[in-house]
Amino acid sequence: MKKILFIMLVMTGMINSQQVIDKIVAVVDNDVILQSELEFRTNMEAAQKNLNPADVNLHRQILNAMIEEKLLYAQAELDSVTVTDEQVKQRLEDQMNYFIQQYGSRERLEQVYGMPFEKIKRSLQDDTRKGLMSYMLQQKKFGQLDATRKEVEDFFQTFRDSLPDVQEKFTIQHIFQNPKTGERIKKKAKDFAISLLDSLKHGADFATLAKKYSDDTGNASQGGDLGTVKRGALVSEFEAAAFALAPNQISSVVETVFGFHIIQLIERRGESIHCRHILIKVKSDEESDLKAIEFLTDVRDSIVKGKNTFEHYARLFSDDKETAKYGGELGSFEASQLDKSLLDVIYKLKEGEICYPKRLEVDRNVYGYHIVKLEKRIPAHKANLDIDYPDVKRIAEYYKKQKLYAKWMDEIKSKIYWEIKL
């Protein structure tokens, strides 16, 4: 819920950037809410939840939510809540990735908002900072909130008849292989980048090569031009290389998480640089895919034959580093939380069984193959305090937080000026 509210706050900033003659529908401290902002938020909420955007009650609910968001920011300023540039940068990156997923591509996002990707990011920085400050304020107030055993038991006794049934649950582990991690495939990409660098050294035009070969689709058509960016806005390896260049100088091949770059500095002004680049991504091919599948098949066979445990091989070989350190443990999931393709695999497994390698789409740009072990299966059932205590505790804590939040918000509303102008 907090993430959704934050996203909404950021999107509101986009509307603010448009030159629209508008009606003020609410005033909060030194800020205002415009009619266009309210309409935008209402239409988005209605589209997401299949509701009627003309519903008066929906408008009222959205307006109240927007007022609370601005009150939270005003309170955050009063409480001297601060966030770092690095925190804002990371949150902004998360939001931009979310928007790209929603619109399908960076190009489509640029078309919708009528400006280059980097300009969209810059226009959202202020609202991102405000939203992050509001979030940090709530974390400071409720982040450590806990429900005691007695509170959970009392909550369960009071609401047990209205609690939803617990869906069937699966505890699963996996070992993941990314075909692009192989040295052969990385060398292929680096060698191609080196060949482009050689062409540049022999007089080839940078912009022409960027348009033809760069894998950064957001700026390849502009000759790889990244515009002017401040220190801290780029990944560390890229930034270190770019700031070390003299104007018009071209770097050697630079490796980052995105692939291999060739960078040219156009201009530097203090802690800001204007540069362009050519990006060559590490791309898998049929051979690297086949090797990943064969490797995982061998690992599965070793586990089935008892040569070592699933946990051992996960820690040793899985490219999912977050779960590898826990023996490949992904956690417990209800059926509705799992992708259909993964659910189809799990339904066919018995407890303790491991599937053969399956393709896994991590996001639009990353995929791989994994083997999955069904560690435990819990059938659907009525909520039970003994079996489902962690889930009941989370619901009880949410209920407790909502009550405390409502009381806290009433206190904020009594201290900070706000008024509805409708």
Side-chain angles (χ1 to χ4, degrees):
M1 182 63 183
K2 286 180 287 190
K3 184 176 181 181
I4 293 173
L5 286 175
F6 184 80
I7 290 168
M8 295 298 103
L9 184 61
V10 170
M11 292 297 284
T12 298
M14 287 185 168
I15 296 299
N16 274 337
S17 67
Q18 299 175 5
Q19 299 299 314
V20 179
I21 298 175
D22 238 336
K23 175 184 176 183
I24 295 174
V25 295
V27 177
V28 182
D29 195 35
N30 298 317
D31 207 348
V32 298
I33 297 173
L34 301 177
Q35 182 72 42
S36 63
E37 295 174 330
L38 177 59
E39 293 298 327
F40 179 81
R41 284 279 295 272
T42 303
N43 289 335
M44 177 176 283
E45 187 83 6
Q48 288 178 338
K49 298 181 179 179
N50 197 25
L51 301 172
N52 178 10
D55 186 346
V56 175
N57 290 327
L58 179 61
H59 272 255
R60 188 178 297 111
Q61 291 170 12
I62 299 297
L63 180 57
N64 287 337
M66 295 175 74
I67 289 171
E68 288 191 6
E69 289 166 8
K70 292 189 179 295
L71 284 167
L72 284 172
Y73 171 66
Q75 186 63 49
E77 282 198 309
L78 289 173
D79 289 356
S80 300
V81 174
T82 58
V83 294
T84 66
D85 290 342
E86 186 61 34
Q87 288 173 314
V88 175
K89 175 186 170 184
Q90 184 58 57
R91 185 57 69 98
L92 185 55
E93 288 295 329
D94 291 342
Q95 300 312 311
M96 297 308 294
N97 288 336
Y98 173 83
F99 296 150
I100 289 171
Q101 289 178 1
Q102 293 298 301
Y103 288 104
S105 69
R106 180 187 285 199
E107 292 78 8
R108 178 59 181 154
L109 178 64
E110 290 176 330
Q111 289 174 4
V112 170
Y113 291 101
M115 63 180 78
F117 183 78
E118 291 300 324
K119 189 173 181 180
I120 298 173
K121 285 178 65 175
R122 289 194 293 272
S123 72
L124 294 178
Q125 281 184 334
D126 186 52
D127 287 289
T128 300
R129 184 175 295 277
K130 289 181 180 179
L132 189 54
M133 286 175 63
S134 300
Y135 171 74
M136 297 293 281
L137 176 67
Q138 292 183 74
Q139 285 297 100
K140 182 179 177 182
K141 186 77 175 177
F142 302 111
Q144 302 302 316
L145 183 142
D146 193 19
T148 65
R149 177 81 192 193
K150 187 176 186 309
E151 286 176 324
V152 176
E153 290 173 349
D154 289 345
F155 173 83
F156 182 74
Q157 293 303 322
T158 303
F159 297 102
R160 65 186 306 167
D161 292 335
S162 58
L163 290 175
D165 288 351
V166 178
Q167 291 187 39
E168 186 174 21
K169 279 188 175 181
F170 310 91
T171 302
I172 55 178
Q173 301 167 272
H174 84 156
I175 299 173
F176 175 74
Q177 282 280 295
N178 182 343
K180 294 193 293 185
T181 58
E183 289 304 315
R184 182 190 63 80
I185 203 72
K186 286 182 69 175
K187 185 177 185 301
K188 182 179 178 182
K190 186 175 183 178
D191 286 348
F192 182 59
I194 290 172
S195 72
L196 293 179
L197 181 60
D198 288 341
S199 296
L200 291 169
K201 289 178 179 178
H202 287 87
D205 180 66
F206 195 103
T208 300
L209 291 186
K211 289 176 183 178
K212 188 173 182 179
Y213 297 113
S214 181
D215 291 321
D216 188 343
T217 55
N219 54 61
S221 60
Q222 285 81 47
D225 196 329
L226 289 169
T228 301
V229 292
K230 293 182 178 180
R231 188 186 291 275
L234 302 165
V235 293
S236 58
E237 301 90 346
F238 187 105
E239 190 168 271
F243 272 89
L245 297 172
N248 296 318
Q249 185 181 3
I250 296 174
S251 72
S252 57
V253 173
V254 178
E255 182 178 0
T256 74
V257 293
F258 299 104
F260 295 97
H261 308 256
I262 303 169
I263 309 164
Q264 183 178 37
L265 180 67
I266 298 172
E267 181 184 23
R268 177 172 177 176
R269 292 184 178 179
E271 292 300 286
S272 296
I273 55 172
H274 180 192
C275 62
R276 57 184 177 180
H277 79 142
I278 300 170
L279 169 64
I280 304 302
K281 291 183 177 179
V282 181
K283 302 181 183 75
S284 61
D285 55 20
E286 289 184 4
E287 184 180 345
S288 56
D289 282 17
L290 183 58
K291 284 186 176 180
I293 293 169
E294 290 175 344
F295 178 78
L296 287 171
T297 302
D298 290 342
V299 169
R300 180 188 180 278
D301 290 344
S302 295
I303 298 169
V304 172
K305 292 174 181 177
K307 292 183 178 179
N308 220 311
T309 65
F310 193 99
E311 291 77 13
H312 170 79
Y313 288 117
R315 291 188 180 98
L316 204 58
F317 297 125
S318 183
D319 287 332
D320 181 354
K321 299 307 178 185
E322 287 301 309
T323 64
K325 55 190 174 185
Y326 302 110
E329 184 77 48
L330 282 168
S332 295
F333 302 91
E334 296 177 352
S336 60
Q337 295 175 301
L338 294 172
D339 178 81
K340 185 180 182 302
S341 60
L342 179 57
L343 188 61
D344 289 343
V345 170
I346 292 172
Y347 267 136
K348 296 173 184 177
L349 297 175
K350 297 177 182 177
E351 287 188 0
E353 286 187 337
I354 305 167
C355 74
Y356 285 96
K358 301 292 181 183
R359 185 181 172 100
L360 174 66
E361 302 287 343
V362 178
D363 58 35
R364 290 177 61 250
N365 299 311
V366 179
Y367 78 95
Y369 296 89
H370 65 164
I371 52 175
V372 181
K373 178 183 177 181
L374 176 59
E375 190 177 348
K376 189 175 182 181
R377 182 195 301 260
I378 302 174
H381 59 277
K382 287 281 186 183
N384 181 298
L385 198 57
D386 294 327
I387 301 175
D388 308 303
Y389 182 81
D391 293 327
V392 176
K393 186 174 187 287
R394 278 193 292 271
I395 299 172
E397 287 173 348
Y398 178 77
Y399 176 76
K400 179 180 179 180
K401 178 182 175 181
Q402 290 305 104
K403 289 180 67 176
L404 292 173
Y405 176 85
K407 182 179 178 181
W408 180 53
M409 184 53 65
D410 286 341
E411 292 174 1
I412 293 175
K413 286 181 176 180
S414 70
K415 295 186 298 182
I416 298 175
Y417 171 75
W418 65 281
E419 182 182 0
I420 295 176
K421 293 289 188 177
L422 287 175

